[in-house]
């Protein structure tokens, strides 16, 4: 009996593989990158899985083993190697990366509900951008209320949505190839030759690598479980290699399956938003099931994205508030209500989400907003992943100080070089990913999206650098700012954002320069207003 209980405490490598698989890849990830690269994405997936996913996963394994007592979180890794401030800033950037993701998830819920109720994309043409933004914002409010009154909502939604998503994705690949065999090998992608699978290594291709990384990252979430394995030195590599094999299978065959139903040479512009519905509609009719699979996918996606939004709103906000020291996080953000919810943290999350929605509201239509938000995730999320490789390099530079049960590459110099390589690749992909996708290059919309990409990054990351200064003012004066100071700062910020958005939507030749000048002036005014001692200071 003791032996049995002891065995039950360990996690087997197949179980860990499945846990990691659910955090890494899904059908939507395959759809997004198929639109970016067409059938050539098959080759890109193979290259990325072999040279990125495997070493990335094994590095995460060692980091999780080194810092297992701290919970194995990303911020604890950086804190352990470089101290409290960098640990705080990592927590902030990790949280900031969840903001566009949360907005995108809320958007997807609106799209999912539209398909679930109508069975078509027609509703998307019946609502304007403002209505879309209002409905998205409403989703945030609804889920905050749900989490407030239903304590187990996240677990229920995750169980239903996550399970159905995995089943539907695997079922699609199986049915697609079965249908290909039944049709005698007929594919929508014609002509289909070996050249179809070879990427065209131009600027557009390199600017889409960040989206591939965005689709493949996330396995760091299973790092804390490394030390819960019976034989971590051998079992964890097995789990990660199995993860890579499963990822290769799903991405390669999933992308190929999309080429069966969509002509890779003429991909619909709304594939990222509606592609999954189009393909399940086609598969359903192919097997005589009508729209059954379409509706099943729609409700699967509703539950999946609802669970994702619930986790992002609650878990990420709580992580930021609780995982940062009193020295850097302002007191008013750590304030909790009678139910223990970080209410001001929620307000900050929703406010920044509304800011992101405001930036995209002037894009031509709902599809453009959806694509832009998705591509913004492809910039910020890979950028945060850089912290993982940075931390790995730090522990391998001083391996005696950071011992672990599991070690990826015994030679420290070779391991350091591997970490540096992935850091450079990820950083380069992040920078190149700033270039807008899915719109005419160098057109007015392209320039507008480029500007709001830069604004989003500056605001989301820059705010994290400002908060420690606000905390120092609280310690010095008792309050950070007086009411007139808060009013002035917020008014200047709102006016500045409106002016920048207006300029970004014009065709003025030097609008980028004008936006830069206006932003500097606005920041200077905010600094002058906020630099003074608060009138109601208590110290």
């Amino acid at each position: 009996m003791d032996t049995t209980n002891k065995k039950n405490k360990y996690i087997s490598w197949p179980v860990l593989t499945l846990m990691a698989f659910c955090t890494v890849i899904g059908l939507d990830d395959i759809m997004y990158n198929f639109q970016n690269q067409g059938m050539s994405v098959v080759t890109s997936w193979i290259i990325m899985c072999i040279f990125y996913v495997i070493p990335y996963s094994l590095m995460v394994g060692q980091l999780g083993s080194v810092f297992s007592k701290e919970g194995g979180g990303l911020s604890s890794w950086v804190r352990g190697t470089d101290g409290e401030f960098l640990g705080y800033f990592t927590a902030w950037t990790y949280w900031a990366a969840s903001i566009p993701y949360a907005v995108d998830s809320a958007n997807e819920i609106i799209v999912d509900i539209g398909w679930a109720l109508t069975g078509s994309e027609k509703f998307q043409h019946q609502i304007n951008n403002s209505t879309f933004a209002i409905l998205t914002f409403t989703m945030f409010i609804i889920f905050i209320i749900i989490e407030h009154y239903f304590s187990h909502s996240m677990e229920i939604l995750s169980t239903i949505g996550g399970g159905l998503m995995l089943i539907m994705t695997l079922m699609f690949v199986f049915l697609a190839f079965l249908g290909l065999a039944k049709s005698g090998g007929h594919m929508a992608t014609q002509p289909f030759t070996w050249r179809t699978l070879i990427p065209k290594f131009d600027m557009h291709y390199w600017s889409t690598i960040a989206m591939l990384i965005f689709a493949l990252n996330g396995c760091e979430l299973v790092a804390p479980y490394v030390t819960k394995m019976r034989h971590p030195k051998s079992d964890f590599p097995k789990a990660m290699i199995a993860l890579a094999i499963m990822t290769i299978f799903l991405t390669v065959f999933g992308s190929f399956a999309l080429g069966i139903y969509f002509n890779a040479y003429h991909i619909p512009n709304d594939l990222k938003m509606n592609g999954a519905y189009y393909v399940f509609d086609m598969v359903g009719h192919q097997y005589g099931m009508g729209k059954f699979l379409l509706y099943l996918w729609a409700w699967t996606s509703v539950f999946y994205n609802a669970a994702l939004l619930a986790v992002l709103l609650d878990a990420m906000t709580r992580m930021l508030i609780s995982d940062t020291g009193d020295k850097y996080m302002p007191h008013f953000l750590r304030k909790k209500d009678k139910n223990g919810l970080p209410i001001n943290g929620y307000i900050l999350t929703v406010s920044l989400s509304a800011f992101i929605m405001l930036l995209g509201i002037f894009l031509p239509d709902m599809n453009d907003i959806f694509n832009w938000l998705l591509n913004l995730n492809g910039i910020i999320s890979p950028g945060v992943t850089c912290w993982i490789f940075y931390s790995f390099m730090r522990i391998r530079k001083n391996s005696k100080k950071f011992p672990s049960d599991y070690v990826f590459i015994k030679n420290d110099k070779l391991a350091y070089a591997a970490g540096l390589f992935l850091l450079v690749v990820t950083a380069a992909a992040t920078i190149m990913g700033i270039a807008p996708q899915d719109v005419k290059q160098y057109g007015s919309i392209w320039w507008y999206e480029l500007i709001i990409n830069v604004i989003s990054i500056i605001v989301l990351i820059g705010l994290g650098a400002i908060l420690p200064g606000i905390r120092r003012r609280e310690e010095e004066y008792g309050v950070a700012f007086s009411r007139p100071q808060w009013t002035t700062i917020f008014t200047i910020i709102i006016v500045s954002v409106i002016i920048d958005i207006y300029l970004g939507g014009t065709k003025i030749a030097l609008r980028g320069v004008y936006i830069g000048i206006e932003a500097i002036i606005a920041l200077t005014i905010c600094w002058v207003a906020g630099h003074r001692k608060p009138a109601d200071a208590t110290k």
Side-chain angles (χ1 to χ4, degrees):
M1 180 67 69
D2 291 339
T3 303
T4 302
N5 289 338
K6 186 175 180 181
K7 287 182 180 179
N8 289 338
K9 293 180 181 179
Y10 292 102
I11 295 179
S12 65
W13 68 264
V15 172
L16 191 70
T17 300
L18 291 173
M19 290 170 61
F21 179 76
C22 291
T23 67
V24 170
I25 200 71
L27 182 58
D28 284 338
D29 295 313
I30 300 171
M31 194 75 65
Y32 301 153
N33 287 284
F34 184 82
Q35 179 167 338
N36 283 345
Q37 297 188 12
M39 285 293 285
S40 66
V41 76
V42 170
T43 303
S44 297
W45 284 125
I46 295 174
I47 294 173
M48 289 295 294
C49 287
I50 294 174
F51 294 103
Y52 195 90
V53 174
I54 293 178
Y56 165 45
S57 304
L58 298 180
M59 289 177 190
V60 164
Q62 183 170 350
L63 284 164
S65 180
V66 170
F67 299 107
S68 58
K69 293 182 180 179
E70 290 79 14
L74 179 58
S75 59
S76 68
W77 301 344
V78 178
R79 183 183 297 111
T81 57
D82 287 88
E84 283 293 330
F85 176 74
L86 213 55
Y88 150 76
F89 198 68
T90 302
W92 173 267
T93 54
Y94 199 74
W95 173 83
S98 72
I99 297 297
Y101 201 9
V103 178
D104 187 46
S105 299
N107 280 348
E108 287 201 46
I109 293 175
I110 303 301
V111 174
D112 295 335
I113 292 176
W115 277 95
L117 296 179
T118 67
S120 74
E121 79 285 4
K122 293 180 180 179
F123 79 100
Q124 298 168 13
H125 306 296
Q126 298 173 355
I127 61 175
N128 56 35
N129 291 357
S130 298
T131 304
F132 187 40
I134 292 171
L135 290 174
T136 301
F137 186 77
T138 303
M139 284 293 111
F140 283 96
I141 305 302
I142 290 174
F143 276 88
I144 288 176
I145 295 173
I146 289 175
E147 289 178 3
H148 180 74
Y149 289 103
F150 301 97
S151 58
H152 297 289
S153 58
M154 281 190 294
E155 291 87 342
I156 296 172
L157 289 171
S158 297
T159 301
I160 298 174
L164 286 174
M165 177 62 72
L166 181 61
I167 293 171
M168 291 293 289
T169 303
L170 294 174
M171 182 177 67
F172 162 67
V173 174
F174 174 76
L175 291 178
F177 279 90
L178 182 62
L180 181 65
K182 285 185 175 182
S183 66
H186 174 73
M187 294 181 62
T189 300
Q190 295 295 334
F192 180 77
T193 65
W194 65 271
R195 292 181 180 275
T196 308
L197 302 176
I198 304 301
K200 183 180 179 182
F201 298 103
D202 54 10
M203 182 60 190
H204 171 74
Y205 176 83
W206 294 116
S207 66
T208 61
I209 296 298
M211 185 56 67
L212 288 170
I213 294 175
F214 170 62
L216 294 171
N217 65 9
C219 69
E220 65 271 13
L221 297 177
V222 302
Y225 302 100
V226 174
T227 54
K228 294 185 179 181
M229 306 182 79
R230 179 176 290 278
H231 304 292
K233 290 184 179 180
S234 58
D235 286 351
F236 189 79
K238 288 180 184 177
M240 292 301 101
I241 291 173
L243 169 65
I245 293 173
M246 291 175 65
T247 304
I248 290 174
F249 171 83
L250 188 59
T251 53
V252 170
F253 287 97
S255 298
F256 192 90
L258 290 178
I260 296 174
Y261 295 98
F262 298 107
N263 186 346
Y265 298 106
H266 301 284
I267 299 174
N269 187 49
D270 63 342
L271 189 74
K272 290 180 179 178
M273 184 165 68
N274 297 317
Y277 296 100
Y278 293 153
V279 77
F280 274 110
D281 190 29
M282 288 186 278
V283 172
H285 281 91
Q286 183 181 15
Y287 286 90
M289 291 185 283
K291 288 184 175 292
F292 172 74
L293 289 180
L294 184 152
Y295 284 112
L296 181 59
W297 170 259
W299 287 110
T300 294
S301 194
V302 167
F303 281 106
Y304 178 80
N305 284 299
L308 187 57
L309 180 59
V311 170
L312 289 171
L313 279 178
D314 186 73
M316 296 303 295
T317 300
R318 289 176 181 269
M319 182 203 77
L320 175 68
I321 302 304
S322 62
D323 197 36
T324 53
D326 181 71
K327 184 178 179 181
Y328 302 110
M329 182 60 61
H331 177 73
F332 72 88
L333 282 179
R334 291 185 286 115
K335 180 181 178 181
K336 296 181 180 180
D337 63 11
K338 61 181 181 180
N339 296 310
L341 296 175
I343 188 64
N344 288 338
Y346 279 159
I347 293 174
L348 177 63
T349 300
V350 174
S351 297
L352 286 176
S353 299
F355 168 74
I356 295 297
M357 287 187 286
L358 176 64
L359 291 177
I361 202 173
F362 294 99
L363 289 169
D365 55 41
M366 188 171 164
N367 184 56
D368 288 302
I369 296 175
F370 187 94
N371 289 344
W372 169 69
L373 276 169
L374 182 61
N375 292 326
L376 182 61
N377 280 303
I379 302 168
I380 297 178
S381 182
V384 175
T385 304
C386 289
W387 287 114
I388 295 173
F389 307 126
Y390 171 78
S391 295
F392 179 78
M393 292 164 59
R394 296 289 288 172
I395 66 169
R396 296 312 296 265
K397 190 174 183 179
N398 193 354
S399 57
K400 292 183 179 180
K401 183 180 177 181
F402 301 103
S404 63
D405 293 331
Y406 166 70
V407 176
F408 169 61
I409 304 179
K410 293 183 179 180
N411 185 285
D412 287 333
K413 291 184 178 179
L414 188 59
Y416 186 92
L420 178 61
F421 171 75
L422 292 189
L423 175 63
V424 171
V425 169
T426 307
T430 300
I431 294 171
M432 288 186 289
I434 295 176
Q437 308 295 322
D438 309 308
V439 294
K440 183 180 179 181
Q441 196 171 31
Y442 304 126
S444 59
I445 299 176
W446 188 92
W447 282 108
Y448 176 73
E449 289 192 5
L450 178 64
I451 289 170
I452 59 178
N453 281 347
V454 174
I455 291 175
S456 299
I457 295 170
I458 291 174
V459 171
L460 290 175
I461 305 303
L463 186 57
I466 294 173
L467 290 181
I470 296 176
R471 178 59 185 146
R472 286 194 295 270
R473 288 180 62 87
E474 286 182 341
E475 293 177 342
E476 183 178 359
Y477 302 122
V479 294
F481 305 106
S482 64
R483 186 177 296 274
Q485 285 177 309
W486 278 117
T487 302
T488 301
I489 291 171
F490 280 122
T491 301
I492 294 298
I493 291 174
I494 292 172
V495 171
S496 175
V497 169
I498 293 174
I499 293 174
D500 288 343
I501 292 174
Y502 169 76
L503 290 174
T506 66
K507 296 183 179 180
I508 301 174
L510 298 177
R511 59 187 178 277
V513 176
Y514 296 143
I515 289 174
I517 294 173
E518 186 280 328
I520 292 173
I521 294 173
L523 289 174
T524 302
I525 296 174
C526 288
W527 181 84
V528 171
H531 185 68
R532 299 175 180 176
K533 181 179 179 178
D536 50 353
T538 59
K539 293 184 180 180

